[in-house]
Amino acid sequence: MRTVVLTMKASVIEMFLVLLVTGVHSNKETAKKIKRPKFTVPQINCDVKAGKIINPEFIVKCPAGCQDPKYHVYGTDVYASYSSVCSAAVHSGVLDNSGGKILVRKVAGQSGYKGSYSNGVQSLSLPRWRESFIILESKPKKGVTYPSALTYSSSKSPAAQAGETTKAHQRPPIPGTTAQPVTLMQLLAVTVAEATSTTLPRPSLSAASTTSSPRPQPVGHRSQEMDLWSTTTYTSSQNRPGANPGEMDLLKPGSVLLDERFVPKEELSTQSLEPVSLGDPNCKVDLSFLIDGSASIGKRRFRIQKQLLADVAQALDIGPAGPLMGVVQYGDNPATHFNLKTHMNSQDLKTAIEKIPQRGGLSNVGRAISFVTKNFFSKANGNRSGAPNVVVVMVDGWPTDKVEEASRLARESGINIFFITIEGAVENEKQYVVEPNFANKAVCRTNGFYSLHVQSWFGLHKTLQPLVKRVCDTDRLACSKTCLNSADIGFVIDGSSSVGTGNFRTVLQFVTNISKEFEISDTDTRIGAVQYTYEQRLEFGFDKYGSKPDILNAIKRVGYWSGGTSTGAAINFALEQLFMKSKPNKRKLMILITDGRSYDDVRIPAMAAHLKGVITYAIGIAWAAQEELEVIATHPARDHSFFVDEFDNLYQYVPRVIQNICTEFNSQPRN
């Protein structure tokens, strides 16, 4: 009997094992048929910022054209999450402007981000930001699953708004299966469940969303039911027993069932820390206020002065893409309270202005202007190439030192000086004024544009609107360097026998016509001239004449020399006798005019000129050798060398020479 029982037990066990193995094998075959969905790289637009994407690490595809400067980037190597993802990828060098795939990894926020120019993208600086990211090549890590659909902090992704497809699965799922990988334990669980005909109860979607807790739940807290089911992913409502057709919109492919009260922490921080403005791009100026802190001003008027500064900060819309503003206070000696990069928005700047204490002392305005010229507008202090430098000087009464010379040096450095004078000297006080009419001597134009005067401190607020309008009118900031007022131009003129007296006068008229186009003074453009044959002669240097009429008269008086043509020696002579005396802050332009081939070598002298930063224009007439002109001219030669077949046609090239000079200048930083 015992043998029979044991035999029966063995048979039952064997049958059970066969069924179990058969079921597992069957499910294994089913699992083999279920293919993992192919990973689809989501595509984003150039304007998508990293802070808008919640995923901590993801791979995306960028389109072409993200090198455009309208897509802002902040930082170098490590970028603030307020940056364009794709533009940062170009800046980092991982992508070029043709686009492609990248791996983005979120990292901690930085205390500061340094801007730089790289790969055709100019990134900006930022004091601090809550979150950062880095760009890597799109090589996925082993064992890491990257999302096929990005999670955005807003309700609708930018990709979706643009009509782009970012769904996780591109083909419909197999009925009766899920698109998730199936493990052996899951197959065993399914087999046992089917054998015992039992199912786990699922909470209905409506119940999950309508059931209220006995007390309010904190943000991010999920109920126990949601903790159980929120990570269950459905690819179709067909896969879920008892699914209602009305629920299909809620359970889209790849969606995750979440409590409606759950808000990602990243989204909260993105919404609360989004900057209001990056500044007004139509008023991109670097501005320094020189405020009067002398003892004579008194505490009440000092507060009125600070209120004007706060109002200006608010009206200008301060930001890295617009105006930046710093403050220097003067008394006996000047002191910087904060520079251009200390405060990057209007609210922070206003708060800082309110805390400025009065220093006291005399009213040494000239000393303060010299201090700003030498120290304030530096790259370390946030000065930006391409943004005009502006100083607004506020004076109560009159200065206790001279301002004319200090202002002249400031203007020569390309600084636009504005004066706001309040309550000038009355008749019995004029004997104490160190420099009468000081405001007109300080500004670069005496047409009223650069100076404002109010009779009383209580009327100071009336200067707000005209001051803001003028400071932002960059087209009228005449003290800024332009192509017409910032150069030392040296003419090197061929006076050889082949030219002749009549043609030499035509050449001088060409020199006159070019000189007329420039603003000539000792602080603006200066003109010099050299004539050469076998020998060389300095006709007049840069410091000889300081006005346009004097220069034009000097050109008329140049006498024709006659002789051979040693152009190489003439270039060396001009470098030593003319451009050696050029001012450091001036652009050096050499305009060489010749009608024949040089008797000596021009290559080494031309190279010396280029290495010394002298921009050389070569103009050949009649028998001039074009290959020599191209050697003499600054690269690219097509923009710096011209050939004229006859002397009488020389005048036609005046507009082209001026245009090329200004085009080249405007392509460079303005200050």
Side-chain angles (χ1 to χ4, degrees):
M1 185 68 181
R2 178 176 298 178
T3 303
V4 173
V5 172
L6 289 174
T7 302
M8 290 178 64
K9 284 184 178 181
S11 299
V12 170
I13 292 172
E14 183 178 356
M15 290 176 62
F16 177 77
L17 289 174
V18 169
L19 288 173
L20 182 61
V21 171
T22 302
V24 170
H25 177 73
S26 176
N27 282 287
K28 280 183 178 180
E29 292 298 320
T30 303
K32 287 181 181 178
K33 294 179 182 179
I34 301 173
K35 294 183 178 179
R36 181 187 296 269
K38 184 180 179 181
F39 171 62
T40 304
V41 178
Q43 182 167 336
I44 61 175
N45 295 330
C46 296
D47 59 352
V48 174
K49 299 171 183 176
K52 289 292 185 182
I53 301 173
I54 292 177
N55 307 81
E57 188 168 330
F58 51 90
I59 295 176
V60 291
K61 184 177 181 181
C62 292
C66 296
Q67 199 179 52
D68 196 305
K70 69 181 179 181
Y71 306 120
H72 294 156
V73 179
Y74 300 89
T76 301
D77 297 328
V78 178
Y79 303 96
S81 63
Y82 195 64
S83 305
S84 157
V85 173
C86 295
S87 190
V90 177
H91 182 273
S92 69
V94 174
L95 288 186
D96 57 24
N97 201 36
S98 61
K101 298 177 184 178
I102 54 170
L103 172 60
V104 181
R105 182 179 299 155
K106 298 285 188 72
V107 294
Q110 307 290 306
S111 59
Y113 299 84
K114 186 176 181 181
S116 65
Y117 182 82
S118 179
N119 302 307
V121 176
Q122 176 65 60
S123 69
L124 304 174
S125 297
L126 202 63
R128 58 187 176 277
W129 198 246
R130 53 174 166 69
E131 183 185 58
S132 310
F133 67 99
I134 57 175
I135 302 289
L136 304 168
E137 293 183 0
S138 58
K139 294 179 180 178
K141 287 182 180 179
K142 291 184 179 180
V144 177
T145 302
Y146 295 94
S148 291
L150 301 176
T151 306
Y152 290 87
S153 61
S154 58
S155 59
K156 196 172 185 180
S157 73
Q161 291 172 351
E164 298 172 5
T165 302
T166 56
K167 293 182 180 179
H169 309 292
Q170 300 299 326
R171 65 176 94 177
I174 302 170
T177 65
T178 69
Q180 300 297 322
V182 182
T183 64
L184 176 62
M185 292 303 296
Q186 289 172 326
L187 289 171
L188 288 172
V190 170
T191 303
V192 174
E194 289 176 348
T196 57
S197 300
T198 59
T199 58
L200 290 172
R202 297 176 183 266
S204 68
L205 185 65
S206 58
S209 60
T210 57
T211 304
S212 59
S213 303
R215 60 182 177 182
Q217 301 290 338
V219 173
H221 178 80
R222 292 177 286 183
S223 61
Q224 292 180 354
E225 292 83 6
M226 293 306 297
D227 284 336
L228 178 62
W229 295 106
S230 64
T231 56
T232 303
T233 303
Y234 299 94
T235 59
S236 171
S237 61
Q238 295 173 352
N239 301 331
R240 187 166 54 86
N244 296 322
E247 297 176 10
M248 292 179 67
D249 290 338
L250 295 172
L251 294 175
K252 292 181 179 179
S255 64
V256 179
L257 210 61
L258 292 176
D259 187 355
E260 62 184 2
R261 291 166 298 183
F262 178 77
V263 181
K265 182 171 67 175
E266 294 89 347
E267 180 177 344
L268 288 174
S269 62
T270 300
Q271 293 173 342
S272 61
L273 293 177
E274 191 87 1
V276 176
S277 173
L278 292 175
D280 181 4
N282 297 317
C283 182
K284 189 176 180 181
V285 297
D286 289 342
L287 173 63
S288 171
F289 261 89
L290 268 177
I291 61 173
D292 192 340
S294 60
S296 61
I297 192 174
K299 292 183 178 180
R300 183 179 183 184
R301 288 180 288 187
F302 188 75
R303 285 197 300 270
I304 295 173
Q305 184 177 213
K306 290 200 299 181
Q307 184 59 52
L308 176 67
L309 265 65
D311 293 342
V312 169
Q314 184 64 45
L316 284 179
D317 187 12
I318 301 297
L324 296 179
M325 179 174 156
V327 175
V328 174
Q329 183 181 172
Y330 67 88
D332 290 334
N333 294 295
T336 302
H337 285 283
F338 39 84
N339 60 35
L340 294 168
K341 66 180 183 180
T342 307
H343 302 292
M344 304 298 283
N345 62 73
S346 295
Q347 187 55 51
D348 289 352
L349 185 58
K350 287 170 63 179
T351 302
I353 290 169
E354 292 172 3
K355 298 177 181 178
I356 295 176
Q358 185 178 357
R359 293 174 60 86
L362 299 174
S363 184
N364 290 330
V365 178
R367 184 177 296 177
I369 293 174
S370 296
F371 172 83
V372 168
T373 303
K374 295 175 183 177
N375 303 293
F376 189 84
F377 293 107
S378 66
K379 188 175 181 180
N381 288 336
N383 186 51
R384 300 166 293 179
S385 60
N389 296 157
V390 178
V391 172
V392 178
V393 184
M394 304 187 67
V395 182
D396 173 44
W398 61 90
T400 52
D401 64 349
K402 292 187 176 182
V403 302
E404 183 176 10
E405 179 63 16
S407 299
R408 184 185 69 81
L409 293 173
R411 296 197 309 271
E412 194 169 307
S413 299
I415 297 174
N416 297 273
I417 299 180
F418 287 81
F419 262 72
I420 300 177
T421 53
I422 309 104
E423 297 181 359
V426 296
E427 193 62 36
N428 63 346
E429 294 175 327
K430 289 182 178 179
Q431 58 181 320
Y432 303 112
V433 177
V434 175
E435 191 174 30
N437 201 25
F438 64 89
N440 282 340
K441 293 178 180 179
V443 298
C444 66
R445 298 288 185 273
T446 56
N447 56 6
F449 182 79
Y450 292 94
S451 56
L452 296 164
H453 178 74
V454 290
Q455 297 294 334
S456 166
W457 277 94
F458 300 106
L460 186 61
H461 65 280
K462 296 178 182 178
T463 65
L464 174 63
Q465 292 303 325
L467 177 63
V468 169
K469 184 177 180 180
R470 296 178 192 187
V471 164
C472 292
D473 190 357
T474 54
D475 292 334
R476 293 189 63 187
L477 295 180
C479 296
S480 289
K481 297 177 184 178
T482 70
C483 62
L484 301 178
N485 70 5
S486 62
D488 280 343
I489 303 176
F491 289 94
V492 180
I493 306 167
D494 184 352
S496 61
S497 302
S498 59
V499 175
T501 303
N503 288 335
F504 187 78
R505 305 318 302 177
T506 302
V507 171
L508 292 183
Q509 186 60 50
F510 175 78
V511 173
T512 297
N513 291 341
I514 288 182
S515 300
K516 282 180 179 178
E517 298 296 323
F518 290 88
E519 299 172 20
I520 297 173
S521 75
D522 60 343
T523 58
D524 295 313
T525 291
R526 303 186 305 169
I527 305 291
V530 168
Q531 184 182 174
Y532 74 95
T533 58
Y534 284 126
E535 300 176 290
Q536 307 84 34
R537 183 169 72 196
L538 179 64
E539 300 292 352
F540 50 88
F542 294 134
D543 55 357
K544 182 71 173 178
Y545 303 108
S547 69
K548 188 177 294 186
D550 290 341
I551 285 291
L552 300 182
N553 287 329
I555 294 171
K556 290 179 183 178
R557 293 195 299 268
V558 173
Y560 175 49
W561 202 358
S562 185
T565 309
S566 296
T567 305
I571 294 172
N572 282 332
F573 181 87
L575 292 177
E576 295 169 4
Q577 300 298 320
L578 195 58
F579 288 99
M580 281 290 288
K581 298 180 181 179
S582 183
K583 293 187 177 180
N585 62 334
K586 297 288 187 180
R587 287 169 60 83
K588 304 175 185 66
L589 303 178
M590 179 191 296
I591 301 177
L592 186 143
I593 310 160
T594 181
D595 80 326
R597 183 180 293 274
S598 178
Y599 292 169
D600 61 354
D601 183 66
V602 300
R603 289 173 297 179
I604 295 177
M607 186 181 297
H610 301 161
L611 292 175
K612 290 181 179 180
V614 178
I615 301 169
T616 307
Y617 288 79
I619 300 169
I621 312 160
W623 303 280
Q626 286 187 295
E627 68 271 18
E628 278 190 355
L629 299 178
E630 292 176 359
V631 169
I632 295 169
T634 296
H635 180 79
R638 67 178 181 273
D639 296 331
H640 299 87
S641 64
F642 305 91
F643 182 81
V644 188
D645 54 352
E646 295 180 5
F647 282 91
D648 290 339
N649 293 330
L650 198 54
Y651 73 94
Q652 298 177 2
Y653 284 79
V654 171
R656 277 191 68 183
V657 172
I658 298 296
Q659 180 182 357
N660 284 20
I661 289 174
C662 286
T663 299
E664 183 178 55
F665 176 87
N666 292 331
S667 68
Q668 304 297 321
R670 292 181 61 183
N671 284 306

